[in-house]
Short mmCIF file of all heavy atoms in Angstrom, two decimals:
data_model
loop_
_atom_site.label_atom_id
_atom_site.label_comp_id
_atom_site.label_asym_id
_atom_site.label_seq_id
_atom_site.Cartn_x
_atom_site.Cartn_y
_atom_site.Cartn_z
N VAL A 1 1.85 14.06 22.88
CA VAL A 1 2.01 15.13 22.07
C VAL A 1 0.95 15.21 21.05
O VAL A 1 1.00 14.52 20.07
CB VAL A 1 3.43 15.20 21.41
CG1 VAL A 1 3.60 16.51 20.62
CG2 VAL A 1 4.52 15.08 22.31
N PRO A 2 -0.11 16.04 21.24
CA PRO A 2 -1.26 15.98 20.30
C PRO A 2 -0.98 16.78 19.01
O PRO A 2 -1.63 17.74 18.87
CB PRO A 2 -2.41 16.54 21.11
CG PRO A 2 -1.58 17.59 22.10
CD PRO A 2 -0.27 16.94 22.35
N ASP A 3 -0.16 16.38 18.25
CA ASP A 3 0.18 17.12 17.01
C ASP A 3 -0.02 16.20 15.83
O ASP A 3 0.69 16.19 14.80
CB ASP A 3 1.65 17.51 16.96
CG ASP A 3 2.76 16.40 17.12
OD1 ASP A 3 2.23 15.26 17.34
OD2 ASP A 3 3.93 16.67 16.96
N GLY A 4 -1.21 15.58 15.80
CA GLY A 4 -1.73 14.71 14.59
C GLY A 4 -1.59 13.32 15.01
O GLY A 4 -0.62 12.80 15.77
N ILE A 5 -2.52 12.46 14.62
CA ILE A 5 -2.60 11.06 14.95
C ILE A 5 -2.26 10.28 13.69
O ILE A 5 -2.96 10.41 12.66
CB ILE A 5 -3.97 10.65 15.41
CG1 ILE A 5 -4.25 11.42 16.73
CG2 ILE A 5 -4.07 9.22 15.56
CD1 ILE A 5 -5.66 11.22 17.35
N ARG A 6 -1.28 9.45 13.64
CA ARG A 6 -0.87 8.54 12.64
C ARG A 6 -1.84 7.44 12.57
O ARG A 6 -2.09 6.78 13.66
CB ARG A 6 0.54 8.01 12.86
CG ARG A 6 1.06 7.11 11.71
CD ARG A 6 2.41 6.73 12.02
NE ARG A 6 2.93 5.73 11.06
CZ ARG A 6 4.25 5.15 11.05
NH1 ARG A 6 5.04 5.52 12.08
NH2 ARG A 6 4.58 4.30 10.09
N PHE A 7 -2.18 6.99 11.41
CA PHE A 7 -3.14 5.78 11.27
C PHE A 7 -2.68 5.11 10.01
O PHE A 7 -2.00 5.56 9.02
CB PHE A 7 -4.51 6.15 11.28
CG PHE A 7 -5.01 6.95 10.00
CD1 PHE A 7 -5.43 6.29 8.97
CD2 PHE A 7 -5.00 8.25 9.99
CE1 PHE A 7 -5.81 6.99 7.67
CE2 PHE A 7 -5.44 9.05 8.81
CZ PHE A 7 -5.90 8.34 7.85
N CYS A 8 -3.29 3.80 9.80
CA CYS A 8 -3.22 3.05 8.56
C CYS A 8 -4.34 2.18 8.49
O CYS A 8 -5.17 1.97 9.32
CB CYS A 8 -1.90 2.24 8.58
SG CYS A 8 -2.03 0.71 9.56
N GLU A 9 -4.62 1.73 7.21
CA GLU A 9 -5.67 0.77 6.81
C GLU A 9 -5.09 -0.25 5.94
O GLU A 9 -4.13 0.07 4.99
CB GLU A 9 -6.75 1.51 6.19
CG GLU A 9 -7.70 2.34 6.96
CD GLU A 9 -8.82 2.98 6.10
OE1 GLU A 9 -8.92 2.67 4.89
OE2 GLU A 9 -9.57 3.83 6.76
N ALA A 10 -5.47 -1.53 6.11
CA ALA A 10 -5.09 -2.55 5.28
C ALA A 10 -6.37 -3.39 4.93
O ALA A 10 -7.19 -3.58 5.70
CB ALA A 10 -4.14 -3.56 5.94
N GLU A 11 -6.53 -3.73 3.69
CA GLU A 11 -7.69 -4.57 3.19
C GLU A 11 -7.26 -5.52 2.15
O GLU A 11 -6.35 -5.19 1.37
CB GLU A 11 -8.84 -3.63 2.68
CG GLU A 11 -8.43 -2.75 1.61
CD GLU A 11 -9.57 -1.86 1.11
OE1 GLU A 11 -10.59 -1.55 1.89
OE2 GLU A 11 -9.61 -1.40 -0.08
N GLN A 12 -7.95 -6.67 2.21
CA GLN A 12 -7.55 -7.73 1.28
C GLN A 12 -8.78 -8.65 0.99
O GLN A 12 -9.57 -8.92 1.90
CB GLN A 12 -6.43 -8.60 1.90
CG GLN A 12 -5.99 -9.71 0.96
CD GLN A 12 -4.70 -10.42 1.58
OE1 GLN A 12 -4.52 -10.29 2.79
NE2 GLN A 12 -4.03 -11.08 0.67
N CYS A 13 -8.96 -8.95 -0.35
CA CYS A 13 -10.05 -9.89 -0.73
C CYS A 13 -9.26 -11.18 -1.00
O CYS A 13 -8.01 -11.23 -1.29
CB CYS A 13 -10.69 -9.46 -2.04
SG CYS A 13 -11.84 -8.08 -1.89
N ARG A 14 -10.04 -12.35 -0.74
CA ARG A 14 -9.40 -13.57 -1.07
C ARG A 14 -8.93 -13.70 -2.52
O ARG A 14 -9.67 -13.22 -3.38
CB ARG A 14 -10.36 -14.75 -0.63
CG ARG A 14 -9.81 -16.08 -0.77
CD ARG A 14 -10.61 -17.11 -0.06
NE ARG A 14 -10.62 -16.96 1.30
CZ ARG A 14 -9.65 -17.26 2.27
NH1 ARG A 14 -8.56 -17.86 1.72
NH2 ARG A 14 -9.75 -16.97 3.41
N ASN A 15 -7.79 -14.14 -2.72
CA ASN A 15 -7.10 -14.28 -4.08
C ASN A 15 -6.84 -12.90 -4.67
O ASN A 15 -6.57 -12.83 -5.87
CB ASN A 15 -8.04 -15.08 -5.10
CG ASN A 15 -8.35 -16.46 -4.51
OD1 ASN A 15 -7.44 -17.14 -3.96
ND2 ASN A 15 -9.49 -16.89 -4.72
N GLY A 16 -6.83 -11.89 -3.81
CA GLY A 16 -6.54 -10.51 -4.24
C GLY A 16 -5.28 -10.04 -3.59
O GLY A 16 -4.81 -10.56 -2.50
N PRO A 17 -4.64 -8.90 -4.00
CA PRO A 17 -3.59 -8.26 -3.34
C PRO A 17 -3.91 -7.62 -2.00
O PRO A 17 -5.15 -7.06 -1.95
CB PRO A 17 -3.01 -7.24 -4.36
CG PRO A 17 -4.25 -6.82 -5.10
CD PRO A 17 -5.08 -8.15 -5.15
N LEU A 18 -3.09 -7.51 -1.09
CA LEU A 18 -3.15 -6.68 0.09
C LEU A 18 -2.90 -5.24 -0.35
O LEU A 18 -1.95 -4.88 -1.00
CB LEU A 18 -2.13 -7.17 1.11
CG LEU A 18 -2.22 -6.23 2.52
CD1 LEU A 18 -3.43 -6.58 3.27
CD2 LEU A 18 -0.98 -6.51 3.23
N VAL A 19 -3.87 -4.26 0.02
CA VAL A 19 -3.71 -2.98 -0.35
C VAL A 19 -3.61 -2.11 0.94
O VAL A 19 -4.42 -2.26 1.87
CB VAL A 19 -5.02 -2.48 -1.10
CG1 VAL A 19 -4.90 -0.90 -1.43
CG2 VAL A 19 -5.24 -3.27 -2.39
N LEU A 20 -2.54 -1.27 0.97
CA LEU A 20 -2.23 -0.51 2.23
C LEU A 20 -2.51 1.02 2.07
O LEU A 20 -2.24 1.54 0.92
CB LEU A 20 -0.83 -0.72 2.67
CG LEU A 20 -0.52 -1.98 3.48
CD1 LEU A 20 0.99 -2.23 3.51
CD2 LEU A 20 -1.27 -1.98 4.82
N PHE A 21 -3.10 1.61 3.01
CA PHE A 21 -3.20 2.98 3.14
C PHE A 21 -2.60 3.49 4.44
O PHE A 21 -2.53 2.72 5.44
CB PHE A 21 -4.70 3.51 3.07
CG PHE A 21 -5.56 3.04 1.95
CD1 PHE A 21 -6.14 1.79 1.95
CD2 PHE A 21 -5.65 3.79 0.72
CE1 PHE A 21 -6.83 1.23 0.87
CE2 PHE A 21 -6.41 3.30 -0.37
CZ PHE A 21 -6.92 2.10 -0.21
N ALA A 22 -2.22 4.82 4.41
CA ALA A 22 -1.67 5.37 5.62
C ALA A 22 -2.08 6.81 5.77
O ALA A 22 -2.55 7.32 4.70
CB ALA A 22 -0.11 5.20 5.78
N GLY A 23 -1.94 7.37 6.87
CA GLY A 23 -2.28 8.80 6.94
C GLY A 23 -2.11 9.50 8.29
O GLY A 23 -1.58 8.90 9.22
N ILE A 24 -2.46 10.77 8.33
CA ILE A 24 -2.48 11.55 9.57
C ILE A 24 -3.83 12.27 9.83
O ILE A 24 -4.29 12.70 8.65
CB ILE A 24 -1.30 12.42 9.69
CG1 ILE A 24 -1.21 13.16 10.99
CG2 ILE A 24 -1.40 13.41 8.56
CD1 ILE A 24 0.04 13.78 11.16
N LYS A 25 -4.32 12.33 10.93
CA LYS A 25 -5.61 13.14 11.15
C LYS A 25 -5.49 13.94 12.31
O LYS A 25 -4.50 13.78 13.12
CB LYS A 25 -6.83 12.04 11.28
CG LYS A 25 -6.80 11.29 12.46
CD LYS A 25 -8.01 10.35 12.53
CE LYS A 25 -8.19 9.71 13.92
NZ LYS A 25 -9.47 8.95 14.06
N ASP A 26 -6.52 14.69 12.62
CA ASP A 26 -6.51 15.67 13.76
C ASP A 26 -5.28 16.46 13.85
O ASP A 26 -4.84 16.84 14.94
CB ASP A 26 -6.83 14.86 15.08
CG ASP A 26 -8.06 14.12 14.98
OD1 ASP A 26 -8.98 14.50 14.16
OD2 ASP A 26 -8.16 13.17 15.79
N LEU A 27 -4.75 16.85 12.66
CA LEU A 27 -3.60 17.85 12.68
C LEU A 27 -4.08 19.24 12.50
O LEU A 27 -4.64 19.56 11.42
CB LEU A 27 -2.67 17.44 11.61
CG LEU A 27 -1.37 18.30 11.41
CD1 LEU A 27 -0.55 18.20 12.71
CD2 LEU A 27 -0.57 17.88 10.19
N LYS A 28 -4.02 20.00 13.52
CA LYS A 28 -4.58 21.35 13.48
C LYS A 28 -3.45 22.37 13.21
O LYS A 28 -2.39 22.43 13.85
CB LYS A 28 -5.22 21.85 14.73
CG LYS A 28 -6.18 23.03 14.59
CD LYS A 28 -7.11 23.06 15.78
CE LYS A 28 -8.17 24.15 15.54
NZ LYS A 28 -9.13 24.18 16.65
N LEU A 29 -3.60 23.18 12.08
CA LEU A 29 -2.57 24.09 11.53
C LEU A 29 -3.12 25.63 11.49
O LEU A 29 -4.30 25.71 11.13
CB LEU A 29 -2.01 23.61 10.22
CG LEU A 29 -1.44 22.14 10.16
CD1 LEU A 29 -1.17 21.78 8.70
CD2 LEU A 29 -0.26 22.07 10.94
N MET A 30 -2.18 26.49 11.70
CA MET A 30 -2.50 27.94 11.50
C MET A 30 -1.34 28.66 11.00
O MET A 30 -0.23 28.39 11.31
CB MET A 30 -3.00 28.45 12.88
CG MET A 30 -3.14 29.97 12.93
SD MET A 30 -3.38 30.71 14.51
CE MET A 30 -5.02 29.99 14.92
N LYS A 31 -1.74 29.64 10.09
CA LYS A 31 -0.81 30.64 9.70
C LYS A 31 -1.45 32.04 9.87
O LYS A 31 -2.56 32.14 9.47
CB LYS A 31 -0.07 30.50 8.33
CG LYS A 31 -1.00 30.31 7.19
CD LYS A 31 -0.42 29.78 5.95
CE LYS A 31 -0.20 30.82 4.97
NZ LYS A 31 0.53 30.28 3.65
N THR A 32 -0.85 32.98 10.31
CA THR A 32 -1.55 34.27 10.73
C THR A 32 -1.50 35.37 9.65
O THR A 32 -2.08 36.41 9.86
CB THR A 32 -0.88 34.81 11.97
OG1 THR A 32 0.48 35.02 11.71
CG2 THR A 32 -1.09 34.01 13.18
N THR A 33 -0.81 35.06 8.46
CA THR A 33 -0.81 35.97 7.41
C THR A 33 -0.50 35.16 6.15
O THR A 33 -0.45 33.95 6.14
CB THR A 33 0.11 37.15 7.64
OG1 THR A 33 -0.06 38.11 6.54
CG2 THR A 33 1.52 36.62 7.67
N GLN A 34 -0.24 35.80 5.04
CA GLN A 34 0.08 35.23 3.76
C GLN A 34 -1.05 34.28 3.36
O GLN A 34 -0.80 33.20 2.73
CB GLN A 34 1.43 34.36 3.86
CG GLN A 34 2.61 35.20 4.03
CD GLN A 34 3.12 35.67 2.60
OE1 GLN A 34 2.35 36.40 1.88
NE2 GLN A 34 4.36 35.48 2.26
N SER A 35 -2.34 34.81 3.59
CA SER A 35 -3.45 34.02 3.15
C SER A 35 -4.55 35.09 2.69
O SER A 35 -4.70 36.05 3.35
CB SER A 35 -3.93 32.98 4.09
OG SER A 35 -5.15 32.39 3.81
N GLY A 36 -5.28 34.75 1.60
CA GLY A 36 -6.48 35.54 1.29
C GLY A 36 -7.49 34.76 0.48
O GLY A 36 -7.25 33.59 0.25
N PHE A 37 -8.39 35.43 0.12
CA PHE A 37 -9.51 34.89 -0.76
C PHE A 37 -10.23 36.09 -1.58
O PHE A 37 -10.95 36.80 -1.01
CB PHE A 37 -10.51 34.11 0.10
CG PHE A 37 -11.52 33.37 -0.73
CD1 PHE A 37 -11.19 32.45 -1.69
CD2 PHE A 37 -12.85 33.39 -0.37
CE1 PHE A 37 -11.99 31.70 -2.47
CE2 PHE A 37 -13.85 32.65 -1.16
CZ PHE A 37 -13.37 31.79 -2.20
#
């Protein structure tokens, strides 16, 4: 089901904390009205 790809990142330095990121990419969205500029 190509409705967005879940991903995560983890990074750590020696003697430092583990830091975590997560996200979603390639999620294509559309609304056909209620938008302007």
Side-chain angles (χ1 to χ4, degrees):
V1 182
D3 59 355
I5 295 173
R6 181 181 176 181
F7 69 88
C8 79
E9 288 182 2
E11 58 181 20
Q12 185 173 14
C13 290
R14 186 161 296 281
N15 301 321
L18 178 74
V19 181
L20 279 172
F21 304 86
I24 185 169
K25 69 175 188 175
D26 299 340
L27 179 62
K28 199 165 186 178
L29 302 171
M30 174 191 289
K31 55 193 256 182
T32 54
T33 189
Q34 288 279 54
S35 172
F37 188 50

